[in-house]
Amino acid sequence: MQAKQSWFGHQAFGKEADGLVTVSYKSHEEALRFLRSALDERDGVGLLQGTNGSGKSTVVRHLSDVLPGGAAVALVDGTRLKPHELLSEVLAQYGYDTGLQSDDELEKVVKMFAVQQTKSDESPVLIVDNIDRMYPSALRALNALAELEVEDRYALRIVATGGDGLKELVESEGMPALSKRQVGSYAMRPMSAKEALIYLHARLEACGVNNADTVFPVDVSDRLFQHSKGWPGPLNQSAIETIGRATSFPVTVTDTMVLDDVKLDPPPADLPVLGAKEATGPLPPTLIISKDGKVVSEHVIKQKKILIGRSDFADVVVDDQFVSKMHALILMYSDAMVLVDLNSANCTMVNSVRITTTILKSDDIVSLGDHRVKVVNAPAISDEMASLIGSSDTIKMKNLMDVRRRREQRLKLVDGK
């Protein structure tokens, strides 16, 4: 009996039921009107903010269904999305199956399609759900698409959803093309008690229940509303749990008294988000390696020691003839990110200044041969570390390369060279 009820609860209120019915309420309708209005503007950018479970994903799915048929529309989930996946998915939803492997080629095709559509009909629409959970490289690819203009208008209209830091992310220095467009935002709001009742009953009826009161009477719906505070995600969770624990139908208020605290789903702990205030803890330090202005690779720092060099044994490999096999070392502390040059043949530069040992700060640029390494999310430097780092005795290199260098020096002294 319990298993059957649990299955029924998920059929009515689980994710598999989301595509069966869209229940509009005041905030949902306001968000939909705002986004459609934003897409009608020349700049064509609309942002939808809200915590997990606030209903923003449902709104943009609804938006993709109601946009005029002449416009090409792509809706992608940005969670853990990389550039190749972003561009391939967008092209697939625009009706292209190119089979291209290069990100540059994919980007060119997307831009070509957007230009053609803008000139002949309507600018295509790209909807990115959870943009603040994309990889930084995918954000840059999106920014490259956003800067394309045709005949005094932008060739791609963009809608994005995210958490509380969404507007700050889109208007940050990392997304200059979007930040110069007129960006508006709407923040999702919870349902009222009446809207929650209509929502619950509509979901049950879509699942085949002729009389929703036979499952959730008004007093039970009110209790579920109070427990969820009117947010659709927690409301669905409360409904599933209540149906699963009920001993008979209709459900009684007593059945809701044992509800566990319903919390909004947190973002995955290992996700390298940018600008998302939903994430717990500081963002991880990251190295963005580029050559001739193009990003080559990104490295999220998770270790306490990171060896940089041309050798395959390095933690961060920089394939450059002017970079030594073991070129530099990064030491991670809670209050500092220290860069040490390992007696490299062509030296290490930070912000155009030659260094042997220095503390790295966010946005510092490390020059290694023809490559550049941008530091992102470096830990804040404590006063104590700032004073200690000036001392030559502070940092003691206890790694294999240091021991090897000292051994070589001793051998030279013994040999008299």
Side-chain angles (χ1 to χ4, degrees):
M1 175 69 177
Q2 293 293 323
K4 187 174 181 179
Q5 289 180 198
S6 178
W7 172 86
F8 168 65
H10 281 280
Q11 285 293 108
F13 298 100
K15 290 184 178 180
E16 60 268 29
D18 289 343
L20 297 177
V21 59
T22 299
V23 184
S24 293
Y25 49 96
K26 184 177 180 180
S27 184
H28 179 105
E29 293 170 354
E30 288 177 349
L32 201 61
R33 283 197 298 271
F34 162 76
L35 293 176
R36 295 188 69 168
S37 175
L39 292 180
D40 287 339
E41 299 295 328
R42 174 194 174 277
D43 292 314
V45 177
L47 305 181
L48 188 58
Q49 295 184 205
T51 53
N52 299 323
S54 62
K56 58 185 185 296
S57 296
T58 302
V59 171
V60 292
R61 189 179 66 247
H62 190 185
L63 175 69
S64 68
D65 293 335
V66 300
L67 285 174
V73 181
L75 169 59
V76 298
D77 183 356
T79 304
R80 290 194 179 91
L81 206 60
K82 296 180 180 180
H84 191 85
E85 297 165 342
L86 168 67
L87 298 168
S88 298
E89 181 65 23
V90 168
L91 279 174
Q93 293 194 39
Y94 286 161
Y96 277 76
D97 184 12
T98 63
L100 299 174
Q101 298 300 316
S102 165
D103 290 354
D104 288 339
E105 290 177 319
L106 288 169
E107 183 179 309
K108 287 178 182 177
V109 175
V110 174
K111 287 183 174 180
M112 179 183 69
F113 174 81
V115 169
Q116 291 175 342
Q117 289 291 303
T118 303
K119 287 182 176 179
S120 62
D121 193 4
E122 290 188 80
S123 300
V125 176
L126 173 57
I127 304 171
V128 183
D129 198 12
N130 302 311
I131 190 176
D132 48 1
R133 297 187 183 184
M134 295 172 71
Y135 281 98
S137 52
L139 286 173
R140 284 190 292 276
L142 176 62
N143 187 74
L145 299 177
E147 65 185 357
L148 191 63
E149 293 185 70
V150 178
E151 298 174 354
D152 197 35
R153 65 178 299 186
Y154 288 100
L156 191 66
R157 295 177 289 167
I158 297 173
V159 166
T161 79
D164 293 339
L166 174 62
K167 199 168 191 296
E168 290 80 359
L169 169 64
V170 171
E171 294 180 345
S172 68
E173 293 181 358
M175 304 195 75
L178 270 180
S179 61
K180 73 177 183 179
R181 293 168 68 162
Q182 188 66 33
V183 177
S185 64
Y186 177 88
M188 294 298 297
R189 299 179 180 85
M191 306 177 207
S192 66
K194 182 178 179 180
E195 288 172 333
L197 172 65
I198 295 171
Y199 177 92
L200 291 168
H201 283 197
R203 299 277 292 217
L204 288 169
E205 289 167 3
C207 191
V209 178
N210 293 327
N211 184 358
D213 281 329
T214 60
V215 179
F216 285 154
V218 174
D219 57 345
V220 172
S221 296
D222 285 343
R223 166 61 183 151
L224 295 178
F225 162 75
Q226 293 168 8
H227 189 257
S228 66
K229 297 180 174 61
W231 293 111
L235 188 60
N236 288 334
Q237 293 179 42
S238 298
I240 290 172
E241 188 175 345
T242 298
I243 289 174
R245 289 182 173 180
T247 56
S248 62
F249 291 114
V251 175
T252 67
V253 172
T254 303
D255 294 322
T256 68
M257 295 303 179
V258 292
L259 280 173
D260 295 330
D261 288 338
V262 177
K263 298 179 180 179
L264 299 179
D265 295 334
D270 61 338
L271 189 64
V273 297
L274 283 184
K277 295 182 179 178
E278 303 167 47
T280 58
L283 300 176
T286 303
L287 303 178
I288 301 176
I289 302 176
S290 62
K291 182 180 180 181
D292 298 329
K294 293 185 177 181
V295 175
V296 176
S297 60
E298 298 179 17
H299 300 269
V300 177
I301 297 178
K302 298 180 180 178
Q303 308 132 276
K304 292 186 177 181
K305 294 182 179 180
I306 299 90
L307 187 61
I308 304 174
R310 195 176 74 251
S311 170
D312 290 339
F313 293 102
D315 299 304
V316 176
V317 178
V318 180
D319 187 10
D320 190 309
Q321 61 177 328
F322 299 111
V323 173
S324 300
K325 290 184 178 180
M326 303 296 180
H327 195 104
L329 184 75
I330 289 179
L331 300 173
M332 292 302 304
Y333 299 87
S334 61
D335 55 356
M337 182 177 182
V338 180
L339 176 68
V340 181
D341 180 78
L342 298 179
N343 292 335
S344 61
N346 292 291
C347 80
T348 302
M349 310 279 285
V350 176
N351 301 329
S352 302
V353 177
R354 181 173 180 172
I355 64 96
T356 53
T357 300
T358 190
I359 298 179
L360 294 174
K361 303 179 294 296
S362 292
D363 296 326
D364 276 350
I365 303 296
V366 182
S367 299
L368 302 174
D370 292 330
H371 287 70
R372 301 293 177 265
V373 181
K374 183 176 181 179
V375 180
V376 180
N377 302 325
I381 304 170
S382 68
D383 293 338
E384 181 182 11
M385 179 58 80
S387 62
L388 287 175
I389 202 64
S391 170
S392 59
D393 295 328
T394 300
I395 299 178
K396 304 294 185 181
M397 304 297 294
K398 300 299 183 183
N399 55 76
L400 178 61
M401 292 309 302
D402 184 61
V403 173
R404 205 172 275 172
R405 287 201 314 276
R406 291 178 182 177
R407 185 181 300 159
E408 289 173 354
Q409 291 171 353
R410 287 197 295 270
L411 287 173
K412 288 180 181 178
L413 291 174
V414 171
D415 293 340
K417 295 180 181 178

PDB file of all heavy atoms in Angstrom, residues 398-412:
ATOM      1  N   LYS A 398      59.615  21.719   0.879  1.00  0.00           N
ATOM      2  CA  LYS A 398      59.760  20.333   1.294  1.00  0.00           C
ATOM      3  C   LYS A 398      59.289  19.370   0.217  1.00  0.00           C
ATOM      4  O   LYS A 398      58.803  18.284   0.522  1.00  0.00           O
ATOM      5  CB  LYS A 398      58.964  20.096   2.588  1.00  0.00           C
ATOM      6  CG  LYS A 398      59.406  20.948   3.763  1.00  0.00           C
ATOM      7  CD  LYS A 398      60.859  20.693   4.152  1.00  0.00           C
ATOM      8  CE  LYS A 398      61.249  21.503   5.372  1.00  0.00           C
ATOM      9  NZ  LYS A 398      62.659  21.327   5.738  1.00  0.00           N
ATOM     10  N   ASN A 399      59.421  19.770  -1.044  1.00  0.00           N
ATOM     11  CA  ASN A 399      58.965  18.894  -2.114  1.00  0.00           C
ATOM     12  C   ASN A 399      60.153  18.270  -2.825  1.00  0.00           C
ATOM     13  O   ASN A 399      61.307  18.636  -2.612  1.00  0.00           O
ATOM     14  CB  ASN A 399      58.105  19.655  -3.121  1.00  0.00           C
ATOM     15  CG  ASN A 399      58.843  20.847  -3.665  1.00  0.00           C
ATOM     16  OD1 ASN A 399      59.720  20.709  -4.487  1.00  0.00           O
ATOM     17  ND2 ASN A 399      58.507  22.041  -3.166  1.00  0.00           N
ATOM     18  N   LEU A 400      59.871  17.310  -3.680  1.00  0.00           N
ATOM     19  CA  LEU A 400      60.902  16.540  -4.351  1.00  0.00           C
ATOM     20  C   LEU A 400      61.825  17.421  -5.182  1.00  0.00           C
ATOM     21  O   LEU A 400      63.047  17.229  -5.190  1.00  0.00           O
ATOM     22  CB  LEU A 400      60.241  15.485  -5.252  1.00  0.00           C
ATOM     23  CG  LEU A 400      61.191  14.619  -6.074  1.00  0.00           C
ATOM     24  CD1 LEU A 400      62.111  13.829  -5.178  1.00  0.00           C
ATOM     25  CD2 LEU A 400      60.397  13.667  -6.966  1.00  0.00           C
ATOM     26  N   MET A 401      61.293  18.392  -5.892  1.00  0.00           N
ATOM     27  CA  MET A 401      62.108  19.228  -6.755  1.00  0.00           C
ATOM     28  C   MET A 401      63.106  20.059  -5.954  1.00  0.00           C
ATOM     29  O   MET A 401      64.240  20.268  -6.371  1.00  0.00           O
ATOM     30  CB  MET A 401      61.214  20.148  -7.585  1.00  0.00           C
ATOM     31  CG  MET A 401      60.373  19.402  -8.601  1.00  0.00           C
ATOM     32  SD  MET A 401      61.357  18.288  -9.626  1.00  0.00           S
ATOM     33  CE  MET A 401      62.518  19.439 -10.349  1.00  0.00           C
ATOM     34  N   ASP A 402      62.701  20.517  -4.789  1.00  0.00           N
ATOM     35  CA  ASP A 402      63.598  21.301  -3.938  1.00  0.00           C
ATOM     36  C   ASP A 402      64.763  20.449  -3.460  1.00  0.00           C
ATOM     37  O   ASP A 402      65.921  20.876  -3.478  1.00  0.00           O
ATOM     38  CB  ASP A 402      62.809  21.863  -2.762  1.00  0.00           C
ATOM     39  CG  ASP A 402      63.665  22.770  -1.895  1.00  0.00           C
ATOM     40  OD1 ASP A 402      64.149  23.796  -2.405  1.00  0.00           O
ATOM     41  OD2 ASP A 402      63.860  22.437  -0.721  1.00  0.00           O
ATOM     42  N   VAL A 403      64.451  19.246  -3.009  1.00  0.00           N
ATOM     43  CA  VAL A 403      65.501  18.328  -2.558  1.00  0.00           C
ATOM     44  C   VAL A 403      66.468  18.031  -3.693  1.00  0.00           C
ATOM     45  O   VAL A 403      67.693  17.989  -3.525  1.00  0.00           O
ATOM     46  CB  VAL A 403      64.874  17.017  -2.031  1.00  0.00           C
ATOM     47  CG1 VAL A 403      65.957  15.992  -1.713  1.00  0.00           C
ATOM     48  CG2 VAL A 403      64.031  17.301  -0.803  1.00  0.00           C
ATOM     49  N   ARG A 404      65.921  17.845  -4.888  1.00  0.00           N
ATOM     50  CA  ARG A 404      66.729  17.535  -6.058  1.00  0.00           C
ATOM     51  C   ARG A 404      67.684  18.694  -6.372  1.00  0.00           C
ATOM     52  O   ARG A 404      68.867  18.491  -6.686  1.00  0.00           O
ATOM     53  CB  ARG A 404      65.793  17.251  -7.231  1.00  0.00           C
ATOM     54  CG  ARG A 404      66.384  16.361  -8.294  1.00  0.00           C
ATOM     55  CD  ARG A 404      65.332  15.985  -9.320  1.00  0.00           C
ATOM     56  NE  ARG A 404      64.547  14.838  -8.916  1.00  0.00           N
ATOM     57  CZ  ARG A 404      63.474  14.407  -9.561  1.00  0.00           C
ATOM     58  NH1 ARG A 404      63.050  15.059 -10.628  1.00  0.00           N
ATOM     59  NH2 ARG A 404      62.822  13.350  -9.149  1.00  0.00           N
ATOM     60  N   ARG A 405      67.193  19.921  -6.306  1.00  0.00           N
ATOM     61  CA  ARG A 405      68.042  21.074  -6.589  1.00  0.00           C
ATOM     62  C   ARG A 405      69.173  21.189  -5.579  1.00  0.00           C
ATOM     63  O   ARG A 405      70.316  21.474  -5.928  1.00  0.00           O
ATOM     64  CB  ARG A 405      67.205  22.360  -6.591  1.00  0.00           C
ATOM     65  CG  ARG A 405      66.301  22.525  -7.802  1.00  0.00           C
ATOM     66  CD  ARG A 405      65.918  23.982  -8.011  1.00  0.00           C
ATOM     67  NE  ARG A 405      65.504  24.611  -6.772  1.00  0.00           N
ATOM     68  CZ  ARG A 405      64.256  24.523  -6.284  1.00  0.00           C
ATOM     69  NH1 ARG A 405      63.351  23.824  -6.936  1.00  0.00           N
ATOM     70  NH2 ARG A 405      63.932  25.131  -5.170  1.00  0.00           N
ATOM     71  N   ARG A 406      68.854  21.009  -4.305  1.00  0.00           N
ATOM     72  CA  ARG A 406      69.879  21.102  -3.271  1.00  0.00           C
ATOM     73  C   ARG A 406      70.947  20.015  -3.450  1.00  0.00           C
ATOM     74  O   ARG A 406      72.134  20.243  -3.240  1.00  0.00           O
ATOM     75  CB  ARG A 406      69.235  20.979  -1.895  1.00  0.00           C
ATOM     76  CG  ARG A 406      68.362  22.192  -1.535  1.00  0.00           C
ATOM     77  CD  ARG A 406      67.717  22.002  -0.187  1.00  0.00           C
ATOM     78  NE  ARG A 406      66.852  23.125   0.139  1.00  0.00           N
ATOM     79  CZ  ARG A 406      66.106  23.191   1.242  1.00  0.00           C
ATOM     80  NH1 ARG A 406      66.114  22.185   2.097  1.00  0.00           N
ATOM     81  NH2 ARG A 406      65.347  24.238   1.464  1.00  0.00           N
ATOM     82  N   ARG A 407      70.500  18.826  -3.829  1.00  0.00           N
ATOM     83  CA  ARG A 407      71.435  17.727  -4.049  1.00  0.00           C
ATOM     84  C   ARG A 407      72.386  18.067  -5.192  1.00  0.00           C
ATOM     85  O   ARG A 407      73.583  17.808  -5.131  1.00  0.00           O
ATOM     86  CB  ARG A 407      70.660  16.442  -4.362  1.00  0.00           C
ATOM     87  CG  ARG A 407      71.554  15.205  -4.498  1.00  0.00           C
ATOM     88  CD  ARG A 407      70.707  13.998  -4.826  1.00  0.00           C
ATOM     89  NE  ARG A 407      69.732  13.739  -3.781  1.00  0.00           N
ATOM     90  CZ  ARG A 407      68.615  13.032  -3.967  1.00  0.00           C
ATOM     91  NH1 ARG A 407      68.335  12.543  -5.160  1.00  0.00           N
ATOM     92  NH2 ARG A 407      67.786  12.825  -2.971  1.00  0.00           N
ATOM     93  N   GLU A 408      71.828  18.666  -6.265  1.00  0.00           N
ATOM     94  CA  GLU A 408      72.663  19.052  -7.401  1.00  0.00           C
ATOM     95  C   GLU A 408      73.697  20.103  -6.991  1.00  0.00           C
ATOM     96  O   GLU A 408      74.854  20.060  -7.427  1.00  0.00           O
ATOM     97  CB  GLU A 408      71.793  19.596  -8.530  1.00  0.00           C
ATOM     98  CG  GLU A 408      70.955  18.522  -9.219  1.00  0.00           C
ATOM     99  CD  GLU A 408      69.974  19.119 -10.211  1.00  0.00           C
ATOM    100  OE1 GLU A 408      69.889  20.354 -10.259  1.00  0.00           O
ATOM    101  OE2 GLU A 408      69.329  18.346 -10.923  1.00  0.00           O
ATOM    102  N   GLN A 409      73.307  21.040  -6.137  1.00  0.00           N
ATOM    103  CA  GLN A 409      74.225  22.062  -5.668  1.00  0.00           C
ATOM    104  C   GLN A 409      75.359  21.466  -4.848  1.00  0.00           C
ATOM    105  O   GLN A 409      76.536  21.837  -4.974  1.00  0.00           O
ATOM    106  CB  GLN A 409      73.471  23.116  -4.859  1.00  0.00           C
ATOM    107  CG  GLN A 409      72.542  23.984  -5.684  1.00  0.00           C
ATOM    108  CD  GLN A 409      71.653  24.876  -4.847  1.00  0.00           C
ATOM    109  OE1 GLN A 409      71.647  24.752  -3.611  1.00  0.00           O
ATOM    110  NE2 GLN A 409      70.912  25.757  -5.493  1.00  0.00           N
ATOM    111  N   ARG A 410      75.037  20.488  -3.977  1.00  0.00           N
ATOM    112  CA  ARG A 410      76.062  19.838  -3.162  1.00  0.00           C
ATOM    113  C   ARG A 410      77.050  19.072  -4.031  1.00  0.00           C
ATOM    114  O   ARG A 410      78.255  19.051  -3.814  1.00  0.00           O
ATOM    115  CB  ARG A 410      75.414  18.912  -2.135  1.00  0.00           C
ATOM    116  CG  ARG A 410      74.730  19.669  -0.983  1.00  0.00           C
ATOM    117  CD  ARG A 410      74.481  18.722   0.195  1.00  0.00           C
ATOM    118  NE  ARG A 410      73.539  17.675  -0.155  1.00  0.00           N
ATOM    119  CZ  ARG A 410      72.234  17.780   0.005  1.00  0.00           C
ATOM    120  NH1 ARG A 410      71.719  18.891   0.503  1.00  0.00           N
ATOM    121  NH2 ARG A 410      71.436  16.787  -0.303  1.00  0.00           N
ATOM    122  N   LEU A 411      76.528  18.403  -5.078  1.00  0.00           N
ATOM    123  CA  LEU A 411      77.397  17.647  -5.978  1.00  0.00           C
ATOM    124  C   LEU A 411      78.364  18.566  -6.715  1.00  0.00           C
ATOM    125  O   LEU A 411      79.528  18.234  -6.921  1.00  0.00           O
ATOM    126  CB  LEU A 411      76.546  16.872  -6.993  1.00  0.00           C
ATOM    127  CG  LEU A 411      75.800  15.653  -6.434  1.00  0.00           C
ATOM    128  CD1 LEU A 411      74.861  15.076  -7.500  1.00  0.00           C
ATOM    129  CD2 LEU A 411      76.771  14.574  -5.964  1.00  0.00           C
ATOM    130  N   LYS A 412      77.872  19.753  -7.084  1.00  0.00           N
ATOM    131  CA  LYS A 412      78.749  20.712  -7.753  1.00  0.00           C
ATOM    132  C   LYS A 412      79.876  21.147  -6.842  1.00  0.00           C
ATOM    133  O   LYS A 412      81.036  21.296  -7.264  1.00  0.00           O
ATOM    134  CB  LYS A 412      77.929  21.922  -8.205  1.00  0.00           C
ATOM    135  CG  LYS A 412      77.010  21.637  -9.394  1.00  0.00           C
ATOM    136  CD  LYS A 412      76.243  22.885  -9.777  1.00  0.00           C
ATOM    137  CE  LYS A 412      75.301  22.574 -10.945  1.00  0.00           C
ATOM    138  NZ  LYS A 412      74.490  23.761 -11.327  1.00  0.00           N
TER     139      LYS A 412
END
